[in-house]
Amino acid sequence: MTQPIILLTGFEPFEQEPLNPSWEAVRALDGWPCAGASVTARQLPCVFGKALQVLEQLMEELKPALVICVGQAGGRSQMSLERIAINVDDARIADNAGRQPVDQAIYNDGPAAYFSTLPIKGMVKAMRAAGVPAEVSQTAGTFVCNHVFYGLMHQLATHASKARGGFIHIPYIPSQAARHPGQPSLALETLVEGLRIALQSAMTLQQDVAEGGGQLH
Amino acid sequence: MTQPIILLTGFEPFEQEPLNPSWEAVRALDGWPCAGASVTARQLPCVFGKALQVLEQLMEELKPALVICVGQAGGRSQMSLERIAINVDDARIADNAGRQPVDQAIYNDGPAAYFSTLPIKGMVKAMRAAGVPAEVSQTAGTFVCNHVFYGLMHQLATHASKARGGFIHIPYIPSQAARHPGQPSLALETLVEGLRIALQSAMTLQQDVAEGGGQLH
Amino acid sequence: MTQPIILLTGFEPFEQEPLNPSWEAVRALDGWPCAGASVTARQLPCVFGKALQVLEQLMEELKPALVICVGQAGGRSQMSLERIAINVDDARIADNAGRQPVDQAIYNDGPAAYFSTLPIKGMVKAMRAAGVPAEVSQTAGTFVCNHVFYGLMHQLATHASKARGGFIHIPYIPSQAARHPGQPSLALETLVEGLRIALQSAMTLQQDVAEGGGQLH
Amino acid sequence: MTQPIILLTGFEPFEQEPLNPSWEAVRALDGWPCAGASVTARQLPCVFGKALQVLEQLMEELKPALVICVGQAGGRSQMSLERIAINVDDARIADNAGRQPVDQAIYNDGPAAYFSTLPIKGMVKAMRAAGVPAEVSQTAGTFVCNHVFYGLMHQLATHASKARGGFIHIPYIPSQAARHPGQPSLALETLVEGLRIALQSAMTLQQDVAEGGGQLH
């Protein structure tokens, strides 16, 4: 019997950055054995549409039991477990192919939003207990990260997949913050450690814990 | 023929505040004639469930052509036109009846989210042009404000209403910020002026303008 | 016997702004009778050196009993009573004459710093009691505002003047913040009201109140 | 001939923290050979007065060629090279001995402030070049950190010492930020690496570089 696969994706660099910490962090976990499964790390282009095509091919090919997409959130100080993906592209900057959609549905026939099916509260709890700054986030934005998150959940929903899926935003790493004075960062080692705990929790928690993680507004 | 009604709601105070700027601002517009319609301002309790019952009764009674609910977002610096309401209550603090739900659906049979049907980009554009700080916001949080916003949109959707609906978050007023050192605020006069422009835009814009208002994350 | 004069200065606009809220606010108080004195409002150029020459001429001419210089601090949310002026110019942008000094002493023979001689704690207390967001600030920066503040205190010290002197930083007004999305602001009316209370406190408090107003770092 | 000594101090924990990252970082460098000198790392109590007594004894005993004191600045995202120490204690919280002075001079006969004698611009430049987030800071606050920084510079000035001295504020480490959701942090490894570069620059730069590091306000 084959081992279950955890598909872990990161993005290529965008917005003039020399690297994307999401790819640096996930590729460090390629091949990592986690709770009886094995991690396959892949890179996605930072391009509307094409990123989803690549993701869907990977899911077709790998038939993963768990899919977690990871993306850079320059300016955040913690690892953010995203709660919800929304059906809109509204790009403040152009993607890596020069496209900049405004208020366009990702799937015209898709619902307004999908909730993450990861046990995000339990994952945050475990990450904090291990000393990794983490939070639940109520918005993944409206750029390629949200686009991929929504497309992932739409793919899982329309294929009636039992696989869990979700998205994690991560801060800059220090070498990026050194060029963006004032921006917070986390070391690559901290990010990799945080992802390890996140994956383990996602594989082992049958249901999420009932802990507050909301915002007043 | 009767004049169309714009239902404008604010909230009662919560979290030990002596007032709620949303109620102070909306009540200043009660009876205001706007684009051939007339504003009816009402207060909602800051209580899960009960706030929606009051709102639904008001909608039943008034049959408004436009419904805008307004709520306090202490810590924000601008008037925020909310883009999306999500189907979850996750309360960091207790509501005014002492309830503090965690990760509960607002309507078990409701979709994950509803988009505002207000022309939020056009409203922000008009507000900024008039010198009022305004933005599109990608999250209304998970407390009573989002609860009311979601309930409003669910009511409109399930009754196949043609009325437009949406939610606006507003900052503290200066007297509140004076007790919360470091927090931003806007004068009540600025908030009332901003709401006036928002209502006019919502009544007169047939469709929204295509202007960016998204976030990278 | 002549009435004592309060010299209140604001700055001309800088950094592409169409106005400077410090000048808009202080000129609204020109001629205002305050605690037996009378306010004279004047504008300073946003130019290293020249701003101080204008200020010194005004002090020579008016022999004020109290001098408060006011400047724009875009990004702050409260009116800031500055505690200390430091003997350095270190400009992140060019001034209105195109000069951009780096790490230059304002007066080569001056001390490292001067403390404000205003009762800043009492002023903040009175402003907050009146509902105006206010704070003590530990740094006036290193641009023209600090330059003028240091020059003012140096002038008072070297002339053994009994006049009190100090500096107040103020936020953007809403029309500015509407063009700088995310930035906090205070209405001009709030700023003028805050300055009124500040002037009255500065004229009537014989000594400052002992209230905390520090920062951990 | 004896090797020159670099005295590097960190603080004991305060404000209910289980550790102080300043002590964790400096003790990792105890004994480190740096540019022909050797680092001696020592801990200071977080107590007004007593911290300075300990520091002065250490300086008396070790006769260091360079003294850098390091302290925790919870909430900052970068390593902060402090520009200036001011002659005031104004404590928002009690120190570890329960004392909470308000607006008291550190030395009644001391000047208003002392500038750091470290080449802070060059140090920041070198740290950033190595990928460590760093900045010049215009205020060290008014708590025990500023107290120690002022006392250090006063000691050097009144003893006509040729030793250079200054202060570096550092962020939380991740395990602290995990308990303070939303706060930025840097890994201990990043902090230690940043201090290494800072010490080397301070030992080898004969004079500071002329690079902007100021603030508008």
Side-chain angles (χ1 to χ4, degrees):
Chain A
M1 186 187 150
T2 24
Q3 215 179 17
I5 285 175
I6 298 170
L7 173 58
L8 191 62
T9 71
F11 282 100
E12 64 182 9
F14 68 103
E15 206 182 19
Q16 283 93 48
E17 292 296 319
L19 56 82
N20 190 315
S22 66
W23 173 238
E24 303 305 319
V26 308
R27 73 173 180 173
L29 292 173
D30 190 41
W32 183 59
C34 170
S38 173
V39 172
T40 297
R42 289 290 183 274
Q43 193 185 74
L44 301 182
C46 187
V47 176
F48 287 105
K50 192 174 156 204
L52 275 184
Q53 290 162 21
V54 174
L55 177 65
E56 283 163 19
Q57 282 172 348
L58 288 169
M59 289 168 69
E60 194 68 29
E61 173 196 334
L62 299 168
K63 306 209 186 317
L66 172 68
V67 187
I68 297 185
C69 299
V70 184
Q72 166 189 304
R76 294 199 190 178
S77 53
Q78 303 169 88
M79 298 183 75
S80 298
L81 282 284
E82 295 295 345
R83 188 196 287 269
I84 194 160
I86 67 176
N87 191 10
V88 70
D89 291 333
D90 190 2
R92 280 185 45 211
I93 60 172
D95 70 12
N96 283 359
R99 273 173 292 201
Q100 193 170 358
V102 170
D103 289 347
Q104 294 179 7
I106 301 169
Y107 286 94
N108 283 320
D109 58 345
Y114 287 106
F115 285 102
S116 173
T117 49
L118 301 178
I120 56 175
K121 301 294 184 72
M123 292 163 78
V124 165
K125 189 179 178 182
M127 292 162 85
R128 288 182 179 170
V132 177
E135 65 178 345
V136 169
S137 163
Q138 326 299 331
T139 173
T142 57
F143 194 56
V144 182
C145 287
N146 173 75
H147 178 86
V148 160
F149 181 16
Y150 184 91
L152 162 63
M153 302 316 294
H154 190 65
Q155 171 86 346
L156 293 175
T158 53
H159 288 66
S161 168
K162 285 179 187 164
R164 274 174 165 177
F167 197 95
I168 301 179
H169 263 123
I170 62 174
Y172 285 139
I173 57 172
S175 63
Q176 296 179 288
R179 286 177 294 98
H180 297 291
Q183 296 304 312
S185 60
L186 286 177
L188 186 56
E189 292 69 23
T190 308
L191 296 173
V192 172
E193 174 65 7
L195 286 180
R196 267 203 191 96
I197 299 162
L199 292 182
Q200 278 175 321
S201 301
M203 286 300 287
T204 55
L205 284 171
Q206 295 304 313
Q207 54 181 57
D208 205 356
V209 298
E211 293 222 355
Q215 293 293 333
L216 289 186
H217 57 79
Chain B
M1 186 188 152
T2 24
Q3 217 180 14
I5 285 174
I6 298 169
L7 174 58
L8 190 63
T9 71
F11 282 100
E12 64 181 9
F14 69 103
E15 207 182 18
Q16 283 93 45
E17 291 296 319
L19 57 82
N20 190 315
S22 67
W23 173 238
E24 302 305 319
V26 307
R27 74 173 180 174
L29 292 173
D30 189 44
W32 183 59
C34 170
S38 174
V39 171
T40 296
R42 290 289 184 273
Q43 192 185 76
L44 301 181
C46 187
V47 176
F48 287 105
K50 192 173 156 205
L52 274 185
Q53 291 164 19
V54 174
L55 178 65
E56 284 163 19
Q57 280 172 351
L58 287 170
M59 289 168 70
E60 193 70 29
E61 174 196 335
L62 298 169
K63 306 206 183 316
L66 172 67
V67 187
I68 297 184
C69 300
V70 183
Q72 166 189 304
R76 295 200 189 176
S77 54
Q78 305 170 88
M79 297 181 75
S80 297
L81 283 283
E82 295 296 345
R83 188 195 287 266
I84 195 160
I86 67 175
N87 191 10
V88 71
D89 292 332
D90 189 2
R92 280 186 44 211
I93 60 171
D95 70 11
N96 283 359
R99 273 174 290 201
Q100 193 170 357
V102 170
D103 289 347
Q104 295 180 6
I106 300 169
Y107 286 94
N108 283 322
D109 58 346
Y114 286 107
F115 284 104
S116 173
T117 49
L118 302 179
I120 56 174
K121 300 294 184 72
M123 292 163 77
V124 164
K125 189 179 180 184
M127 293 161 84
R128 287 182 179 169
V132 177
E135 65 178 346
V136 170
S137 163
Q138 326 299 333
T139 172
T142 57
F143 194 55
V144 182
C145 287
N146 172 74
H147 178 86
V148 160
F149 181 16
Y150 184 91
L152 162 63
M153 302 315 293
H154 190 64
Q155 171 86 345
L156 293 174
T158 52
H159 288 66
S161 168
K162 287 179 185 164
R164 276 175 163 176
F167 197 96
I168 301 179
H169 261 124
I170 61 174
Y172 285 138
I173 56 173
S175 63
Q176 296 179 286
R179 286 176 292 101
H180 297 291
Q183 295 304 311
S185 59
L186 286 177
L188 186 57
E189 292 69 24
T190 308
L191 296 173
V192 172
E193 175 66 7
L195 286 181
R196 267 205 191 93
I197 299 163
L199 293 181
Q200 278 175 323
S201 301
M203 287 299 289
T204 55
L205 286 171
Q206 295 303 312
Q207 53 181 57
D208 205 357
V209 299
E211 294 222 356
Q215 294 293 331
L216 290 186
H217 57 81
Chain C
M1 186 190 151
T2 24
Q3 217 179 14
I5 285 174
I6 299 169
L7 174 58
L8 191 63
T9 71
F11 281 100
E12 65 180 9
F14 69 103
E15 207 182 16
Q16 283 92 46
E17 292 295 320
L19 58 82
N20 190 315
S22 67
W23 173 238
E24 303 304 319
V26 308
R27 75 173 179 174
L29 292 173
D30 189 42
W32 183 58
C34 171
S38 174
V39 171
T40 296
R42 289 290 185 273
Q43 194 185 75
L44 301 181
C46 187
V47 176
F48 286 105
K50 191 172 156 207
L52 274 185
Q53 291 163 20
V54 174
L55 177 66
E56 283 163 17
Q57 281 172 349
L58 287 168
M59 289 168 70
E60 194 68 28
E61 174 196 334
L62 298 169
K63 307 208 183 315
L66 172 68
V67 186
I68 298 184
C69 299
V70 184
Q72 167 189 305
R76 294 200 190 177
S77 53
Q78 305 170 87
M79 297 182 75
S80 297
L81 282 283
E82 295 296 347
R83 188 195 288 265
I84 195 160
I86 67 175
N87 191 11
V88 71
D89 292 334
D90 190 1
R92 282 187 42 213
I93 61 173
D95 70 12
N96 284 358
R99 273 174 290 202
Q100 193 170 356
V102 170
D103 290 347
Q104 295 179 7
I106 300 169
Y107 286 94
N108 284 322
D109 58 345
Y114 286 107
F115 284 103
S116 173
T117 49
L118 301 178
I120 56 175
K121 301 293 184 71
M123 292 163 79
V124 165
K125 188 180 180 184
M127 292 162 86
R128 287 181 179 171
V132 176
E135 65 178 348
V136 169
S137 162
Q138 326 299 333
T139 172
T142 58
F143 194 55
V144 183
C145 287
N146 173 74
H147 178 86
V148 160
F149 180 17
Y150 185 91
L152 162 63
M153 303 315 294
H154 190 65
Q155 171 87 344
L156 292 174
T158 53
H159 288 65
S161 169
K162 286 178 186 164
R164 276 173 163 176
F167 197 94
I168 302 179
H169 262 123
I170 61 175
Y172 285 138
I173 56 173
S175 63
Q176 296 179 288
R179 286 177 293 99
H180 297 291
Q183 295 304 311
S185 59
L186 286 177
L188 186 56
E189 293 70 22
T190 308
L191 296 173
V192 172
E193 174 66 7
L195 286 181
R196 267 204 191 93
I197 299 163
L199 293 182
Q200 278 175 322
S201 301
M203 287 300 288
T204 55
L205 284 172
Q206 294 305 311
Q207 55 180 56
D208 204 355
V209 297
E211 294 221 355
Q215 294 293 332
L216 289 187
H217 57 81
Chain D
M1 184 188 151
T2 24
Q3 216 180 17
I5 285 175
I6 298 170
L7 173 58
L8 191 62
T9 70
F11 282 100
E12 65 180 7
F14 69 102
E15 206 183 17
Q16 283 93 49
E17 292 297 319
L19 57 81
N20 190 316
S22 67
W23 174 239
E24 303 305 319
V26 307
R27 73 175 180 172
L29 292 172
D30 190 43
W32 183 59
C34 170
S38 173
V39 172
T40 297
R42 290 289 184 274
Q43 193 186 74
L44 301 181
C46 187
V47 175
F48 287 106
K50 192 175 155 205
L52 275 184
Q53 291 163 19
V54 174
L55 178 65
E56 283 164 18
Q57 280 173 350
L58 287 169
M59 289 168 70
E60 193 69 28
E61 172 196 337
L62 299 168
K63 305 209 186 316
L66 172 67
V67 187
I68 297 185
C69 300
V70 184
Q72 165 190 303
R76 293 199 190 178
S77 54
Q78 303 170 89
M79 297 183 75
S80 297
L81 283 283
E82 295 296 345
R83 188 195 286 268
I84 194 161
I86 67 175
N87 191 9
V88 70
D89 291 334
D90 189 1
R92 280 185 45 213
I93 60 171
D95 70 11
N96 283 359
R99 272 173 290 199
Q100 192 170 357
V102 171
D103 289 347
Q104 295 180 6
I106 300 169
Y107 285 93
N108 283 321
D109 59 346
Y114 286 106
F115 284 103
S116 173
T117 49
L118 301 179
I120 56 175
K121 301 293 184 72
M123 292 163 78
V124 165
K125 190 179 179 182
M127 292 162 85
R128 287 182 179 170
V132 177
E135 65 178 347
V136 169
S137 162
Q138 326 299 333
T139 172
T142 57
F143 193 55
V144 182
C145 287
N146 172 75
H147 178 87
V148 161
F149 180 17
Y150 184 92
L152 162 63
M153 302 315 295
H154 190 64
Q155 172 86 346
L156 293 174
T158 52
H159 288 66
S161 168
K162 285 178 187 166
R164 274 173 165 178
F167 197 95
I168 301 179
H169 262 123
I170 61 174
Y172 285 138
I173 57 173
S175 63
Q176 296 179 287
R179 287 178 292 100
H180 297 291
Q183 296 303 312
S185 59
L186 287 177
L188 186 56
E189 291 70 23
T190 308
L191 296 174
V192 172
E193 174 66 7
L195 286 181
R196 267 204 191 93
I197 299 162
L199 292 182
Q200 277 175 322
S201 301
M203 286 300 289
T204 55
L205 285 171
Q206 295 304 313
Q207 53 181 58
D208 205 356
V209 299
E211 294 223 354
Q215 293 294 331
L216 290 186
H217 58 80

